[in-house]
């Protein structure tokens, strides 16, 4: 299904960014990119994966991209702003996440498809070159207990849309925390595993680490309820958070209802916001009953009473269409920006909204608080968002504008 196209400036794009507000000239075969952060000089760093770059047409590789403040590729980073590669030559590598570190270096976390599919790390200097002080020439692949199994390759390369499935966060001392399923693992700054522990979640979609080292995870439990849990730096439950370390809520009730949490915004004081969706009927293949949700918790894991009276905000669009929220960011003016998609499965459009800190929709933004973006064809969804210091909004996601789904847009509205 092809979307109706309108002028990008009419959609609120910043005409001074890249090509009429859009950047899409990543490596060939690029999958949706994640916005990692903005350097002090305004340069924008992104990470993702690419299938079939010219030098290795059959491989899935990791990708780092750095743009100047105006959206042009940084000529002093990699090859015209782009770095691609693998953890070992001629072996598939997939990006799960990456982080811009305090010293300007970048830590990339992904899967190395060797004898087994295993977590691996790469660290890069500010110019995109590998950091030779880390691991073996900038690459660290933890040892396997056994190499007797045959090599594994990533499944269905041509169908991959978003490889960033593993939730990752960086701790105060450079340690890495990962979360997937019901497992949370912490790695030291050199990539060696520190410890792991289990959580009462069936799927963990987001993780954050505070300045004290405490770990917050968010996702869904086995009862299909939204779940946020907090643990001390040693992995033990924080009994001062929620109910014995867990805060659980459900908006839609019933045997086929679900409340999922996708995005997490952890604040310095330990309070937090989460985004996701409620689904009153998970067996409805049209997804017409899905609604985006936005919830706020105090540092003790209890509902923030200032935010919508302590209740999650359920997004009811004027059109009545289904929607879901994927990611969240805060503005310097203490607003909240959430991004995701609107529409039925297979023909979604990108959706963005701005809320006040009390949960009220900011009607001065876009069209009554929302903006729907159609720039490609087929399904579209924003997956990553970051608000710049000047309050312009960077978004990245799944929008096949040319040949690949990787697209970054900057909105000019403040």
């Amino acid at each position: 299904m092809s979307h109706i196209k309108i002028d990008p400036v009419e959609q609120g794009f910043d005409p001074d960014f890249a090509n009429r507000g859009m950047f899409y000239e990543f490596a060939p075969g690029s999958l949706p990119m994640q916005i990692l952060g903005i350097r002090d000089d305004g340069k924008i760093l992104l990470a993702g994966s690419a299938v079939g770059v010219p030098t290795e047409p059959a491989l899935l590789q990791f990708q780092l991209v750095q743009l100047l403040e105006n959206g042009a590729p940084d000529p002093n980073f990699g090859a015209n702003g782009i770095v691609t590669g693998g953890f070992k030559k001629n072996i598939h590598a997939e990006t799960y996440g990456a982080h811009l570190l305090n010293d300007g270096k970048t830590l990339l976390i992904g899967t190395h498809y060797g004898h087994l599919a295993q977590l691996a790390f790469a660290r890069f200097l500010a110019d995109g070159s590998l950091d030779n002080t880390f691991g073996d020439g900038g690459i660290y692949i933890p040892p396997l207990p056994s190499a007797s199994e045959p090599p594994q390759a990533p499944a269905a390369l041509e169908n991959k849309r978003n490889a960033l499935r593993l939730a990752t966060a960086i701790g105060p001392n450079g340690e890495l925390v990962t979360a997937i399923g019901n497992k949370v693992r912490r790695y030291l700054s050199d990539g060696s595993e520190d410890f792991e522990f289990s959580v009462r979640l069936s799927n963990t979609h987001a993780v954050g680490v505070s300045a004290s080292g405490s770990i917050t995870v968010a996702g869904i439990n086995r009862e299909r309820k939204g779940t946020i849990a907090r643990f001390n730096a040693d992995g033990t439950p924080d009994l001062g958070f929620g109910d014995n370390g867990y805060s659980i809520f459900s908006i839609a009730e019933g045997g086929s209802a679900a409340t999922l949490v996708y995005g997490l915004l952890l604040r310095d004081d330990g309070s937090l916001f989460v985004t996701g969706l409620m689904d009153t009927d998970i067996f409805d293949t049209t997804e017409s009953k899905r609604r985006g949700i936005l919830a706020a918790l105090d540092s003790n894991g209890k509902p923030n009473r200032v935010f919508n009276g302590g209740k999650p905000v359920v997004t009811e669009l004027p059109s009545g269409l289904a929607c879901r929220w994927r990611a969240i960011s805060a503005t310097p003016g203490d607003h909240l920006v959430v991004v995701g998609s609107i529409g039925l499965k297979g023909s979604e459009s990108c959706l963005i909204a701005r809320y006040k800190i009390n949960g009220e929709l900011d009607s001065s933004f876009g069209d009554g608080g929302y903006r729907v973006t159609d720039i490609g064809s087929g399904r579209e969804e924003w997956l990553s968002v970051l608000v710049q210091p000047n309050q312009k909004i960077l978004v990245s996601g799944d929008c096949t504008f040319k040949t690949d789904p990787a697209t970054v847009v900057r909105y000019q509205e403040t």
Side-chain angles (χ1 to χ4, degrees), residues 7-309:
D7 189 283
V9 174
E10 293 183 26
Q11 300 198 58
F13 295 177
D14 180 359
D16 296 326
F17 180 79
N19 183 359
R20 296 185 301 157
M22 300 177 289
F23 182 86
Y24 43 83
E25 296 177 346
F26 298 100
S30 290
L31 301 172
M33 303 288 287
Q34 177 188 41
I35 305 169
L36 303 185
I38 301 174
R39 298 188 188 272
D40 292 340
D41 58 3
K43 293 179 179 179
I44 302 161
L45 187 62
L46 306 106
S49 301
V51 183
V53 299
T55 55
E56 299 287 356
L59 286 181
L60 173 65
Q61 297 189 316
F62 57 63
Q63 178 179 197
L64 287 176
V65 175
Q66 186 157 287
L67 306 178
L68 302 177
E69 197 280 335
N70 64 2
D74 181 1
N76 297 317
F77 184 89
N80 195 30
I82 297 176
V83 173
T84 59
F87 299 104
K88 284 190 176 181
K89 190 174 181 180
N90 298 324
I91 298 179
H92 293 292
E94 184 173 13
T95 302
Y96 274 148
H99 295 275
L100 179 58
L101 305 178
N102 292 333
D103 59 4
K105 297 178 182 179
T106 302
L107 179 66
L108 184 144
I109 309 99
T111 294
H112 167 64
Y113 292 95
H115 290 287
L116 293 174
Q118 63 184 117
L119 203 67
F121 307 89
R123 197 165 74 189
F124 300 86
L125 301 176
D127 64 358
S129 60
L130 284 167
D131 178 7
N132 290 322
T133 67
F134 178 82
D136 182 9
I139 303 291
Y140 179 69
I141 304 174
L144 283 171
S146 172
S148 60
E149 298 189 32
Q152 294 185 3
L157 291 179
E158 69 277 7
N159 295 325
K160 284 184 175 293
R161 303 290 287 188
N162 178 30
L164 304 176
R165 298 186 302 273
L166 184 74
T168 65
I170 293 291
N173 299 311
E175 66 272 27
L176 172 72
V177 176
T178 69
I180 187 169
N182 70 337
K183 293 291 185 183
V184 176
R185 294 179 175 88
R186 189 172 73 183
Y187 299 82
L188 300 179
S189 59
D190 63 0
S192 59
E193 186 170 343
D194 189 10
F195 65 80
E196 72 169 51
F197 58 91
S198 299
V199 298
R200 298 200 305 268
L201 280 78
S202 58
N203 286 297
T204 303
H205 295 137
V207 61
V209 183
S210 70
S212 66
S214 68
I215 300 168
T216 302
V217 297
I220 185 172
N221 66 11
R222 290 182 176 84
E223 287 74 42
R224 304 192 186 106
K225 296 182 178 181
T227 303
I228 301 97
R230 181 164 292 166
F231 302 86
N232 299 313
D234 62 1
T236 59
D238 180 355
L239 300 182
F241 182 86
D243 183 8
N244 292 321
Y246 287 80
S247 182
I248 300 172
F249 67 96
S250 180
I251 301 174
E253 300 292 343
S256 62
T259 300
L260 291 81
V261 174
Y262 285 126
L264 168 67
L265 175 61
L266 183 61
R267 309 182 93 190
D268 292 341
D269 63 359
S271 62
L272 59 93
F273 297 92
V274 293
T275 58
L277 67 89
M278 76 162 193
D279 195 341
T280 59
D281 185 358
I282 62 174
F283 300 111
D284 178 6
T285 57
T286 65
E287 301 184 5
S288 61
K289 298 180 180 180
R290 288 190 167 185
R291 297 292 183 268
I293 61 169
L294 174 62
L297 298 179
D298 289 330
S299 59
N300 61 3
K302 304 298 183 181
N304 182 342
R305 299 295 178 183
V306 176
F307 182 86
N308 197 38

Side-chain angles (χ1 to χ4, degrees), residues 267 273 329-337 355-358 391:
R267 309 182 93 190
F273 297 92
S329 182
T331 74
D334 221 17
H335 284 68
L336 302 169
V337 176
Y355 287 86
K356 299 178 182 179
I357 203 69
N358 64 359
Q391 299 201 38

